[in-house]
Amino acid sequence: MDETQWRELVAQTRQGNKEAFVKLYNETQRSVYFTALKLTANEDNAKDVMQDTFMTALEKLDTLEDGAKFPQWVNGIAINKCRQYFRNS
């Protein structure tokens, strides 16, 4: 997916287009899952982190300045969620 497509999906999601968010999710869920799995070393915890990550991404999408950076941004959220997980464990 190119930068224009990322920006368009983020803009559509900000306008409430649920299908656009599903596309963002589908394009990034694998990367987010494997990031969480690598850091937590547990499939169930990785799935929990992934769910929290995408909930936070949807809630905080307005803070993303450049929609083309969505993949890096959402993976950063996943890393922070893993850190949170270890602090709370």
Side-chain angles (χ1 to χ4, degrees):
M1 193 174 312
D2 67 27
E3 290 183 359
T4 302
Q5 291 170 309
W6 285 112
R7 287 185 183 109
E8 185 61 30
L9 286 174
V10 167
Q12 290 174 3
T13 301
R14 286 179 176 153
Q15 295 171 354
N17 184 329
K18 292 177 184 176
E19 290 174 16
F21 185 71
V22 169
K23 289 178 184 176
L24 289 172
Y25 173 84
N26 288 337
E27 288 292 325
T28 57
Q29 62 92 19
R30 186 172 181 190
S31 174
V32 168
Y33 173 74
F34 283 113
T35 295
L37 183 61
K38 182 176 181 179
L39 294 173
T40 64
N42 179 290
E43 286 185 30
D44 290 333
N45 293 338
K47 289 176 184 176
D48 289 344
V49 165
M50 190 171 91
Q51 181 177 358
D52 288 346
T53 296
F54 283 103
M55 294 289 291
T56 299
L58 187 57
E59 290 170 9
K60 305 287 185 180
L61 194 58
D62 288 338
T63 67
L64 177 61
E65 292 180 22
D66 182 359
K69 305 285 187 209
F70 183 84
Q72 298 90 336
W73 180 73
V74 77
N75 271 306
I77 293 172
I79 291 167
N80 287 333
K81 292 291 180 183
C82 288
R83 289 178 182 148
Q84 227 176 15
Y85 166 80
F86 286 115
R87 277 194 300 264
N88 296 336
S89 293

